[in-house]
Structures are given as C-alpha cells and as structure tokens.
Amino acid sequence: MQELALRVGGAAGDGIATVGETFCRLFTRQGFYAFGHTGYQSVIRGGHVWFQARGSPERIWSQGDGCDVLYALDRQTVEVHAPTLRPGGVLVFDPEKFSVAPEQVPAGVKLFPVPTLQMSRKFASEPILQNGVGMGVVSALAGQPLSVLHGILTDSLGRKGTVLSQNLSASEAGFHYATEHIGALDRALPEKGGTPKLLMSGNQAIALGAVAAGMKFLSQYPMTPASSIMHWLAAHAEKFHVVVKQAEDELAAINMAIGASHAGVRAMTATSGGGFSLMVEAFGMAGMTETPLVVVESQRSGPSTGLPTKTEQGDLQMILGASQGEFPRVVLGPGSVAEAYRETARAFQLAEDWQTPVVVASDLYLSEDVQGLDREDLPALPPPASLFTVPEPMEGGNGYLRYKDTPSGVSPRAIPGQRGLMFDAGSDEHDEAGRLVSDVLSGIPAYVEVRRKMMEKRMRKLSGIRAATPPPTLEGPGDAELTLVGWGSTALPVRDALPLLKGQGIAVNYLHVAQPWPLHGEAIARVLRSAKRTLLIEQNFSGQLGRVITAETGIRFPDTLLKYDGEPFYPWEIVTKVMEVTGRVHR
Amino acid sequence: MSIAESPVRPQGPPLKVVYKSQTKATWCPGCGDYGVMAALEMAFKALKIPPHELVLVSGIGCSSNLPHFFKTYGFHGLHGRAVPVATGIKLANPSLTVVVAGGDGDGYGIGLGHSLHAMRRNLDMTYVVMDNEIYGLTTGQASPTSTLGAKTKSTPLVGVIEAPVNPLALALGAGATFVARAFSGDPKQMADLLAQGIRHKGFALVDVFSPCVTYNHLNTFDFFRSRVYKLESVGHDPSDPVEAFRRTLEWGERIPTGLFYRAERPTYEELEPALKDGPLTTQRAGLPPDVDPLKEFY
C-alpha cells in the first residue's frame, strides 16, 4: 500500500501539535486519507511531544509503523524516533541546535541539516518561526505544492496578519531550500488524490454526533482525554443552541445532566475513568429513576491518576459493574472516528427508547487522534422525534403511572411542565406511580411484591435492548485461519494489520464487539465456535472483554494479545503475534 | 412585604388548587419539618404557582422526603446532590419554578460544594434547608451545624470538637443574592420569606431552624423560641452586605431570623447564550438545517 508518514518531535511548547495537524492537512486537502497520532505528557512546557501524520490514497486506520520524514526539534526526538525512519527517509534537523551522527539513523536514511532558526530570523526574532521553515521543508519532501501549505497556514493563522505573513515567507524559504537540496522523496504521494477529506478527532466526532442526535445539554468537568468534547461544544454552543455547563466536579456534572434529561432534553456528560468513578452513584440513579442519560467515558491508563496522557481500555469491568445494585445499562465501544459519531447518536436513541443510562466507551487513542474521512462517513441524522410518550395536555391525569409495568419495561414518560401528570422520580425504590416503598412500606408483603415487580420491570429492558440492537460484525474474510476478537479503538490498528497479514498469505478476520453490553452472546458464540483459532486483543492487562464473553458464552481465549504500557497497538505488533500464534515464527 | 402581594403568575389557577399529595408525611410527631411543609404550601398558594410548573428537588435525609408530600413534579435524588439535579432542570427549562429542599447534612455536609457553586452562579431557584443540627435519618450523628461540645452518637465522649458551619455567612461569601433564616415555630414568617425567595430573581437560600425532636435535645423548639428575634424589628437593611455579615455572626442569647441580604444580579439563565431563544425544551434539536457542520474540518 502506498503511504507516507511525516513525524515531528520536540518539547511541549514547541508547537508540535500545530505542525502535526498541518502535516495531516497536507494529505487531506490533497484528497488523501490520513491518520494523525499524538504522543504527549502531562506537562505544559518541556517534556517530549511528538506527532505522526500518515497519509495514503487508501483508507488507513492507525498511525502505522515507522516514518519517512522526521522533523526533529530537539536531540531527544532523534534518540527516540530516528530508529523508526524507513529506508529512503530523511531526518530534518537544525545543526545550530544539535548535531546528528550518521550512525544514529538506520541504513538508507539521509541526514538533512537545515538552518531553520537562521533562516527564520530573516522574518522574525521569535524562535517559534523555525516551524514555518520546517513545514516548508517537509512539504517539499512530501511532494506537495507550496500553495497547499500556504492555504492551510492562511486558514489557521488568517486572523494574525503579521504572524501569517512571516510564516508564509519562512515556509517558502524552507520549501525552496528543500527543493534545491533534496526534492521530493521517492515514496512521496502523487500531487493529487481523490476528493478532499475532512480531518476529525474521535472527541469531535462524539460532540458532533451528540448535537446531530439532538443533544441540548452537556455538563462536564475537565479531565484528559475527555476535555476536548467540552471545548468543541463550548465553542459551538451558541451556533448549535446547546447549553454547555462546566460543573464544579463530576458528581455535579452527572447530576446536572440527569436533571436536564428529567426536564425533557437530551443530555450528556463526559469524563475519563477517574471522573467516572465519582459519577458512579448517580449513574445508578439514572437507572433507578429511568432517566435517559449518555455518559462518555474516554479511558486513559489507570489505576488511580495513572498515565494521564496515555491510552488504555482498562475501565470496561468498572463500567459494567458501576454502581450498587442491578439496573439495565448499555455500553458502546466505537472503533473509529466515524463510528464515534454514529455510536454517540445511537447512544442517545437507546437511552431515550429504553429510559436508561448508556455509556460510550472511548479512550485517549480514539478520542484525541485524528482521522481523515469522507463526508459520507458522517451521514446527516433525521431530527430527533418527540421525546415524550404522553400526549399533552392531559387534564386530570390522575391515572398516570410514570413507572407503569409494561411488557418492554419502558413506561410512558412525562416531563415537568405537563399539566396533570405530576409525579416524583425517586432514587429510592418506588411503585408504578413513583410512590416510595422504601420507608414505611418496605417489608410489608404487598410491597415486597412491588419491589420484586419493579426490579423485573427495569431489568426486562436488557433483553429488549439486546434484541433491538445489531450483533457484532465480522470484518475481513469469512474463511480465516484466525479470528481476532476485540472492542473499541483496537479496531483501528487491527484494520491496518489485516491487509499486512493478507500480504503474508495469512487470512485473518476480526470480530469487532462495538457493543460490549448487553452482549450478543449467542451471535458471538456462533462466530467463535466456527473460528479455526481465536486471538483476544485488548488494551488492558486482564482481557476484560474476553472475561465478559467467557462469562456469557463459556468460550475461553487461550491466546491473547494484551497491552497495558500506555501506547496504542502498532500494526506490526499484531502481525508479529498472529504469525507466532499461527506457527509462522517461533519465539 | 406580605405573601399576599402580587402572584408570580397573575393568570394562574384559582386558589382552590391542591398542592399536597395524598402521601402522609413520615416525620416524627412534632418534627420541625411539618412547619416547613405548611409554610411551603402557604407560599405556593399565595404565589398561585400552577403545581405542574413546580419542581421540588431533594436529596436524602428525613427532610428530603418532602417532595413526596406534594402533588407537584418532584425529583428525590441522592444524598447531597439535589442542587446539581435542580441546576440541570432549571437550565433545561427556566420557565419552571424550582425549589430545592433538604437538610443540613445534605446541603452543608456532603453537598456543601454544590450549594456554594449554585449560589455564585445565581440560578433562579430557591433552596430551603431544614437545619436541625443533627443527622436524623441515620439516627443521631453530628452534623456540620452541630454545636461545639454537642454529644451525639458519633461524638459520645467529649462532644463535637469542630466549629460549626455558618451557612448564612458562607452564602454571603459565595455570592448568594437572597439570604434568609426562618424558624419552624413561626410558619407565617417562613412562608413570607419562602414566597419572597421564590419571587426573587436569583438564588435564594432560606435556612430554617427545624428542630429534630428525637435526636437533638439541645437545639429544641424552646431553645430557638427563647432566642430568635426578627431582623426587621431592629431595622436591618438587607441591601447592606457588611451589616448582613455582622448579623450572621450573632449566635447565643439572641439569634436573628428574617431577610439578611438581598441583591440584584443577572441570573445564570439570563447570561447563558444558548437560552436566548427560550427554554431548551421548546427549541428545535439537532443540527440546524442551514449550517454545514463539516465545513470547518477541511
């Protein structure tokens, strides 16, 4: 597969994210698919930050393996990333800052010293302008015309007149310098791909999907890697008529969302594992009061504060077990940026149809990395239908039972403001009318029966949800030597590994469990029983999805590929493991 | 000001409207919370608020059972989390009248943070705290407002050794725009303060001495009856924050009740851009048809 990977690295504060995003747009604006992966630390200045922008005329799903251009702003970047340069690649650095010895790069990689600082001083004294030169250099190496870079810079810096003109001049100088000295790489993509692609992160897709699904209220407390959901929505709050409320803590955030939903609007909260830990009690209250609620849980490496800027899928068991007692819940694990959009929208529909909480389980990798997409990947959604199942007005609606026991377990829902339908939503156990059975009635035989009935009414929703939702999909060839099993963002590197494996003559498919709960146990068992061999792949220590599948189907996973070092899977890791499991190579 | 002054909704229903539900209150005989229930009903009647436009929100505790005794909309949530639920309700539909009810453990203990943040936001809601200086429902442990030295189930040896929270002083510091104190032994004064609080455009705190007759034998009806005096009787000016603060510090032989402080400040709802076009509940949902939401991603 034709592809080109541009990598930049330096310290926090060096503008790495901006440069990296610009590299991504060099691809997407020219009509190529792209994937942008960022690696950063929990510091504002210093430390080590890097970004890989990968482009291809074909769909790509991950950061891939290796890079072709490395623009190193500091010595550490050379130490960490030079070994990943592929033959034919180029290391760009400024000899004024540090020197690089030829033996520091793999065979077939060129060293390209560029006096970026010196060149940038012609236009401005701020050292950050070296990136203007650097971006020009990399554009030339990537074989993309200067006009594309200038277009990107104009759009991103348009409001900053002087800064823009300085960057245009600096990048032009860098572009010509690289053209004169090296020119485009052999691996460079053609000048033009298909139609321009859009570039979106998982969190942006979640936010957009939520608005498209009719969300009117977000309450959130800042926490990496969920914060950018709030940032994007706050910036668009007026345009899309959404209340975005930064709460004082996660307890408030989820309780506010429940309040807003109770009052009759689609509401969401978003957090990471630590924040979700604080939300757990109210999560159960949404189940008990049968209030529709969408919670985005973007996981990061735990336990405790863990690795705040690194990825993991370690919270599945917590999400499945969160809150005391039992109540129906839905857990979705989208496996791409486009899925993040669609699954978030589906989460709202499920929450409302079944009047129960739904978790969209993302992770740092999916939430923060960016993917190049076609417009068709994000289909427009019909405006949400009426939220309420009780017609208004209902004068003298004394017979109204908010928690009426029905065959589906779902009861007619009224909202405050509707005449004649007044009821109490209680976190205590209650009867069909919402009257407490917790205080003076609990233990009285008739109300022992009410309790049993209300539990069954709520829990009944689970089988309805399972029946109403699609079972997991099997991606790749039907007849495979090995079936990979995973959920959520793991789908990204797996989708890049499958063609590589095919190239090795190994037919492998992937069971993508995008809805870990309620699990479609029977459908999964059918796939796994007919599989020649399975390999469970998860970004956690104990194979948490595997445990759920085993519990529900009795099927075990003798072979696993589990990763818990904070870094996402790289396609080569999956290829290597599959070759080992299928007896191609021996450790 | 009297509660008989102009109602919140002049076009409201006739005075015959029933606010109480058929659920009998479950409090101990003689509990101060009966006075609060009566005063709330008086305030609702005086203001002629249609019951379907009223939402009573509570947390957990004896006093938090209150919504069940009213035939309005109600949300009986988690311990300490009534205020954020009420915040969500109010932001979704500012046309509703939102009243939060709870106890001192709920609002000044486990939920204190939420109370202070709600005050600084100045959401248009009323918070009535039935302050009995004890944990009642959990059978008599010390509360954040328990008196120094008070012996309770959790402080049986030397009594409480933490200084009590001063809720009214905290409210002033947090930016509440309506700060009042009532006493269950005077439901009329309380009804008047509650009605003023509900009419007040902004966050209103009404702290109520609501004695627990079972577990608090220190802060009894008699204790308060012999000490309380009305701020209006001493010519207190509720627009003076410094004087209001001084009055919140009075504790001992004479304890003030009434309106400590009132100020005009824009409410959160008024400043929220997304509510310019009315309640969220009546706005259209989904992406606006005239906007290409994907344009910015190219």
Side-chain angles (χ1 to χ4, degrees):
Chain A
M1 187 178 72
Q2 198 183 7
E3 67 160 89
L4 186 74
L6 312 172
R7 196 176 294 194
V8 57
D14 276 349
I16 304 300
T18 310
V19 175
E21 194 186 311
T22 304
F23 288 174
C24 282
R25 290 201 195 280
L26 285 176
F27 295 126
T28 54
R29 290 214 172 172
Q30 290 297 85
F32 298 106
Y33 292 102
F35 192 95
H37 172 60
T38 179
Y40 68 109
Q41 303 164 330
S42 195
V43 293
I44 305 304
R45 296 299 294 261
H48 176 61
V49 185
W50 64 282
F51 192 105
Q52 166 131 331
R54 182 176 172 228
S56 172
E58 292 168 58
R59 278 207 185 259
I60 48 173
W61 301 94
S62 74
Q63 69 284 5
D65 302 308
C67 64
D68 303 301
V69 174
L70 176 60
Y71 169 40
L73 280 118
D74 63 5
R75 198 186 298 275
Q76 191 178 12
T77 300
V78 177
E79 287 158 8
V80 174
H81 298 279
T84 67
L85 275 159
R86 291 187 276 228
V90 173
L91 171 62
V92 180
F93 67 101
D94 187 341
E96 185 183 319
K97 292 197 278 186
F98 54 89
S99 57
V100 181
E103 59 271 21
Q104 282 183 273
V105 295
V109 171
K110 270 187 211 151
L111 295 183
F112 184 25
V114 181
T116 53
L117 278 170
Q118 191 195 320
M119 287 166 69
S120 72
R121 282 188 205 110
K122 257 193 272 177
F123 312 105
S125 58
E126 289 83 5
I128 193 79
L129 194 61
Q130 67 183 306
N131 286 340
V133 178
M135 287 187 281
V137 168
V138 176
S139 289
L141 298 177
Q144 295 304 328
L146 183 63
S147 59
V148 178
L149 177 62
H150 277 189
I152 298 165
L153 293 175
T154 304
D155 290 342
S156 60
L157 303 170
R159 287 191 203 140
K160 306 171 186 171
T162 318
V163 176
L164 173 62
S165 63
Q166 289 164 353
N167 271 277
L168 293 181
S169 307
S171 58
E172 186 174 358
F175 187 88
H176 291 313
Y177 190 89
T179 307
E180 282 157 29
H181 288 79
I182 291 195
L185 302 194
D186 292 341
R187 288 179 69 109
L189 304 182
E191 250 195 39
K192 195 78 186 144
T195 54
K197 310 298 175 206
L198 53 91
L199 187 69
M200 192 181 276
S201 72
N203 275 354
Q204 288 170 330
I206 286 168
L208 189 67
V211 177
M215 183 194 71
K216 300 292 291 177
F217 185 91
L218 172 90
S219 42
Q220 187 174 340
Y221 185 79
M223 185 170 189
T224 302
S227 301
S228 57
I229 295 172
M230 175 166 61
H231 301 166
W232 192 85
L233 285 168
H236 294 74
E238 196 165 1
K239 185 165 150 194
F240 293 151
H241 292 82
V242 173
V243 166
V244 175
K245 184 73 208 83
Q246 180 181 341
E248 58 269 27
D249 54 37
E250 285 91 348
L251 306 162
I254 187 169
N255 278 282
M256 285 179 186
I258 290 170
S261 177
H262 175 74
V265 297
R266 290 189 171 187
M268 179 169 98
T269 185
T271 185
S272 187
F276 187 67
S277 296
L278 295 179
M279 293 182 178
V280 161
E281 189 187 20
F283 184 69
M285 179 172 73
M288 183 56 137
T289 57
E290 306 193 39
T291 308
L293 176 71
V294 175
V295 180
V296 179
E297 213 273 51
S298 184
Q299 304 159 90
R300 68 190 208 190
S301 302
S304 194
T305 308
L307 294 168
T309 61
K310 299 297 166 194
T311 197
E312 199 161 277
Q313 295 179 307
D315 297 351
L316 181 61
Q317 294 282 7
M318 168 173 74
I319 295 166
L320 290 173
S323 217
Q324 67 271 28
E326 296 162 288
F327 56 93
R329 73 190 78 196
V330 183
V331 184
L332 306 178
S336 71
V337 171
E339 276 182 53
Y341 170 85
R342 294 194 299 262
E343 292 293 281
T344 304
R346 189 162 78 93
F348 277 94
Q349 197 58 51
L350 286 170
E352 193 169 301
D353 286 348
W354 298 93
Q355 297 179 17
T356 211
V358 179
V359 177
V360 177
S362 180
D363 54 35
L364 185 136
Y365 182 44
L366 173 61
S367 279
E368 298 200 333
D369 280 0
V370 290
Q371 210 179 343
L373 303 172
D374 287 312
R375 184 171 275 272
E376 295 69 35
D377 294 329
L378 307 170
L381 300 169
S386 170
L387 300 173
F388 317 111
T389 45
V390 182
E392 196 201 3
M394 186 170 168
E395 293 293 349
N398 285 331
Y400 173 60
L401 297 174
R402 167 63 187 95
Y403 298 109
K404 188 177 164 62
D405 191 4
T406 63
S408 68
V410 179
S411 319
R413 184 171 165 231
I415 57 158
Q418 286 187 293
R419 212 176 276 275
L421 303 176
M422 289 81 77
F423 68 95
D424 287 312
S427 65
D428 285 64
E429 186 60 282
H430 41 261
D431 66 9
E432 289 179 271
R435 285 183 298 256
L436 293 196
V437 300
S438 54
D439 289 357
V440 294
L441 301 177
S442 61
I444 308 295
Y447 289 92
V448 172
E449 176 62 13
V450 167
R451 156 68 180 181
R452 190 184 60 75
K453 223 173 110 169
M454 295 305 286
M455 271 301 284
E456 289 171 2
K457 164 209 167 359
R458 289 188 295 267
M459 294 307 287
R460 196 179 300 142
K461 295 176 187 178
L462 214 44
S463 51
I465 296 168
R466 188 181 289 112
T469 48
T473 48
L474 191 62
E475 302 182 12
D479 185 25
E481 197 174 327
L482 179 109
T483 298
L484 290 159
V485 181
W487 67 289
S489 72
T490 308
L492 294 168
V494 166
R495 288 178 186 134
D496 275 345
L498 294 186
L500 295 176
L501 286 161
K502 193 179 171 192
Q504 299 286 322
I506 312 173
V508 175
N509 55 22
Y510 178 55
L511 185 67
H512 175 42
V513 183
Q515 182 179 306
W517 199 258
L519 194 80
H520 294 89
E522 284 178 21
I524 289 172
R526 269 196 303 277
V527 172
L528 296 184
R529 291 216 173 90
S530 64
K532 295 200 178 83
R533 185 162 204 146
T534 63
L535 175 62
L536 178 71
I537 172 167
E538 288 190 65
Q539 192 106 30
N540 56 47
F541 185 86
S542 47
Q544 298 188 9
L545 176 72
R547 288 174 167 213
V548 178
I549 294 175
T550 302
E552 295 287 307
T553 67
I555 296 170
R556 293 179 174 279
F557 295 94
D559 293 307
T560 59
L561 177 54
L562 303 172
K563 194 173 182 185
Y564 35 83
D565 59 7
E567 297 299 319
F569 282 110
Y570 282 78
W572 70 265
E573 291 176 295
I574 300 168
V575 170
T576 306
K577 181 70 183 182
V578 169
M579 291 180 76
E580 186 193 316
V581 170
T582 58
R584 268 30 175 233
V585 291
H586 299 282
R587 279 225 167 136
Chain B
M1 182 193 267
S2 150
I3 56 172
E5 283 185 34
S6 68
V8 167
R9 288 169 188 77
Q11 307 300 317
L15 278 166
K16 276 281 185 187
V17 167
V18 175
Y19 289 96
K20 299 285 292 299
S21 74
Q22 292 178 353
T23 303
K24 208 167 149 276
T26 47
W27 298 313
C28 303
C31 176
D33 294 352
Y34 285 102
V36 178
M37 184 166 70
L40 264 179
E41 191 189 9
M42 283 160 70
F44 295 157
K45 276 185 179 161
L47 298 174
K48 297 185 180 177
I49 306 168
H52 67 277
E53 292 178 17
L54 251 173
V55 189
L56 295 180
V57 185
S58 69
I60 295 295
C62 293
S63 54
S64 287
N65 283 345
L66 180 133
H68 294 281
F69 313 139
F70 283 89
K71 186 73 186 157
T72 64
Y73 283 97
F75 196 104
H76 181 193
L78 299 170
H79 192 33
R81 316 296 166 216
V83 167
V85 169
T87 301
I89 292 170
K90 188 70 188 179
L91 288 176
N93 187 356
S95 69
L96 297 168
T97 298
V98 178
V99 176
V100 186
D104 43 310
D106 207 58
Y108 305 148
I110 189 168
L112 178 66
H114 305 310
S115 302
L116 298 180
H117 287 284
M119 289 171 193
R120 78 184 173 90
R121 287 180 191 128
N122 200 33
L123 290 142
D124 185 8
M125 59 173 70
T126 306
Y127 189 12
V128 50
V129 179
M130 288 161 257
D131 188 354
N132 57 11
E133 295 87 17
I134 197 81
Y135 279 81
L137 193 57
T138 51
T139 71
Q141 299 83 7
S143 99
T145 51
S146 289
T147 310
L148 262 175
K151 290 198 176 181
T152 71
K153 272 193 185 161
S154 57
T155 59
L157 302 180
V158 296
V160 171
I161 54 175
E162 296 167 274
V165 150
N166 182 335
L168 303 189
L170 277 179
L172 289 171
T177 51
F178 184 100
V179 180
R181 178 190 280 150
F183 168 43
S184 269
D186 188 348
K188 269 201 173 139
Q189 179 204 23
M190 191 186 343
D192 193 41
L193 288 168
L194 287 169
Q196 285 187 58
I198 293 168
R199 290 175 53 86
H200 171 72
K201 198 164 62 70
F203 191 94
L205 173 70
V206 182
D207 182 76
V208 181
F209 292 139
S210 181
C212 172
V213 294
T214 305
Y215 294 109
N216 190 339
H217 302 297
L218 192 63
N219 307 108
T220 61
F221 272 99
D222 286 342
F223 172 92
F224 288 114
R225 202 167 277 132
S226 64
R227 286 169 173 79
V228 291
Y229 76 92
K230 291 190 170 122
L231 281 171
E232 65 203 55
S233 71
V234 296
H236 171 68
D237 172 10
S239 69
D240 180 348
V242 176
E243 180 58 17
F245 187 77
R246 205 184 65 74
R247 292 285 177 185
T248 66
L249 301 179
E250 283 185 26
W251 190 269
E253 290 313 301
R254 277 169 62 77
I255 302 174
T257 61
L259 180 59
F260 285 68
Y261 183 64
R262 178 170 47 202
E264 294 293 321
R265 184 153 70 79
T267 65
Y268 190 95
E269 306 90 281
E270 287 171 336
L271 298 175
E272 167 58 53
L275 292 172
K276 275 194 307 203
D277 296 340
L280 294 180
T281 46
T282 59
Q283 294 180 16
R284 80 177 293 284
L287 290 164
D290 51 339
V291 174
D292 175 11
L294 300 182
K295 194 164 167 246
E296 67 179 275
F297 293 101
Y298 284 93

